[in-house]
Amino acid sequence: MPSEAEKLAINRTTNLFVVTGPSGVGKGTMIAKILERVPHIAKSVSATTRQMREGERQNVDYFFCSSEEFFKMKLRGEFLEWAKFTEHYYGTPRSWVEKSLSEGQDVILEIEVEGAKQIRQKYPQAVLIFISPPSYDELKSRLQSRATESPERILTRLEKAKEELNSKNLFDYEVINDNLDEAIGNLEHIVYAERLRITR
Ligand code: ADP
Ligand code: 5GP
């Protein structure tokens, strides 16, 4: 006997969710929980030219590649969207996303703001969610305590964050990630509410 969640999945069209917002705001942390809690949803793995961080895995966290490989993929039209973020390139592989959606699975993209704007243009039906920090100082302290970048690179990301925070009105939803559990709960509500939508 299918569960209620499974019945819902059978009777619905699929959704492309885009989770965007400044680096360090908690996108990755929140999405990891959504993937554990919500059935029939998967996160796209992006290609990037940045160095692998300690603990990251090739083809799981990212397809880590050279700039040459990245540009070959771009020329072949393999990206749904791509952007340069600080000094590195990031792109979403088109074929996996299209295949997953056509097979009845919702997809989440975790991408920066320029890429999210491209998705807004190309896929007007995509659901775009902006994650905001409770304050700029809190964003700074999250990036500092994550400690995955040098102090100079953290500063670059914080400068970029100022621009990104000004773009939030282009998106459909804002979730403030102050209390983590509440923020995850709000993201989960958005996913389920969008699954019940009749029109867009
Ligand atoms: P992003 O994917 O947006 O760059 P991360 O998910 O890597 O951000 O989160 C950045 C850091 O902030 C991580 O160390 C994470 O554990 C921490 N973090 C995430 N959400 C919260 C929160 N609500 N309160 C405090 N720390 C948080
Ligand atoms: P990080 O280096 O911290 O992993 O990622 C830097 C920024 O790039 C984050 O905001 C992340 O969401 C974003 N990002 C990751 N993959 C992609 C992608 O495929 N496209 C775009 N446009 N941004 C991405």
Side-chain angles (χ1 to χ4, degrees):
M1 225 3 213
S3 69
E4 283 307 308
E6 280 163 348
K7 275 192 242 159
L8 200 68
I10 292 161
N11 293 323
R12 67 185 175 83
T13 55
T14 47
N15 296 292
L16 177 59
F17 293 100
V18 176
V19 174
T20 191
S23 175
V25 74
K27 304 182 294 297
T29 308
M30 292 168 65
I31 290 173
K33 279 286 170 209
I34 294 294
L35 299 179
E36 278 175 30
R37 289 189 190 178
V38 180
H40 307 292
I41 193 160
K43 179 178 169 287
S44 162
V45 176
S46 297
T48 184
T49 61
R50 86 149 159 75
Q51 294 285 304
M52 198 185 284
R53 291 176 189 147
E54 209 180 306
E56 283 184 329
R57 286 167 297 166
Q58 171 68 312
N59 304 346
V60 175
D61 298 292
Y62 279 107
F63 300 113
F64 293 95
C65 63
S66 63
S67 300
E68 197 186 1
E69 285 167 320
F70 189 94
F71 281 100
K72 278 189 189 152
M73 286 188 263
K74 176 173 134 26
L75 280 177
R76 292 195 296 259
E78 290 177 18
F79 292 132
L80 207 58
E81 62 71 39
W82 69 275
K84 188 175 185 197
F85 180 83
T86 66
E87 74 264 54
H88 300 297
Y89 292 90
Y90 297 82
T92 301
R94 176 192 301 279
S95 59
W96 182 87
V97 173
E98 290 179 346
K99 182 166 175 283
S100 301
L101 291 171
S102 72
E103 288 173 354
Q105 178 162 253
D106 284 350
V107 168
I108 301 195
L109 309 184
E110 181 200 328
I111 61 179
E112 53 68 70
V113 167
E114 289 309 311
K117 289 184 194 165
Q118 294 171 44
I119 298 288
R120 169 97 294 169
Q121 293 294 318
K122 290 186 198 164
Y123 296 86
Q125 289 180 320
V127 180
L128 290 104
I129 304 147
F130 189 90
I131 312 296
S132 292
S135 68
Y136 187 74
D137 283 349
E138 173 64 18
L139 182 66
K140 188 173 173 183
S141 99
R142 285 184 195 171
L143 276 172
Q144 284 168 340
S145 53
R146 190 174 72 183
T148 48
E149 279 78 30
S150 64
E152 299 78 54
R153 287 192 166 134
I154 288 178
L155 274 184
T156 315
R157 284 178 181 233
L158 285 168
E159 278 307 306
K160 184 92 184 159
K162 287 183 188 157
E163 270 171 51
E164 294 177 316
L165 291 167
N166 283 331
S167 298
K168 77 173 182 200
N169 291 338
L170 300 173
F171 305 118
D172 299 310
Y173 293 96
E174 177 183 21
V175 174
I176 300 173
N177 180 18
D178 186 357
N179 176 289
L180 182 60
D181 288 338
E182 266 176 39
I184 293 165
N186 285 332
L187 185 54
E188 189 176 1
H189 291 318
I190 293 169
V191 170
Y192 280 115
E194 288 293 333
R195 285 181 173 181
L196 298 173
R197 223 182 229 285
I198 297 170
T199 57
R200 269 199 219 291

